[in-house]
Amino acid sequence: MSNKPDLTKFRKTLFWDTTFDRIDFTAHSRYVINHVFERGTEEEIKEIIRLYGRDTIPKNLYHNGNPLLRHQFNANIEKYL
């Protein structure tokens, strides 16, 4: 993980199910990575890649979210990794 996230790159609505200001980007990396790959914009995905690195992300990916978003999740993995 490189430094801290640039929080201005993230929409707070991306993390609708939690309090954005209380997300621990180190402790909750799996949650953050999966939310962003499932529902994130290009800017958000690129920030996650910068933050965690290309080697870390695949180890933390799993699709446990909305089945309707599985296609988007897989498309983002293919496009960015």
Side-chain angles (χ1 to χ4, degrees), residues 31-42:
Y31 161 82
V32 171
I33 289 168
N34 283 282
H35 251 60
V36 172
F37 270 84
E38 184 178 72
R39 300 169 184 265
T41 64
E42 182 172 3

Side-chain angles (χ1 to χ4, degrees), residues 5 10 15 25 32-33 36-37 43-54 57:
F10 297 102
F15 301 101
F25 280 80
V32 171
I33 289 168
V36 172
F37 270 84
E43 181 179 40
E44 291 163 337
I45 292 170
K46 286 181 176 180
E47 178 60 11
I48 286 302
I49 293 169
R50 183 201 67 78
L51 179 64
Y52 295 109
R54 289 188 184 274
I57 291 172

Side-chain angles (χ1 to χ4, degrees), residues 34 37-39 61-78:
N34 283 282
F37 270 84
E38 184 178 72
R39 300 169 184 265
L61 285 171
Y62 66 93
H63 189 271
N64 215 14
N66 186 329
L68 298 175
L69 297 174
R70 183 177 305 275
H71 175 74
Q72 184 63 39
F73 180 81
N74 291 335
N76 284 336
I77 292 169
E78 186 174 319

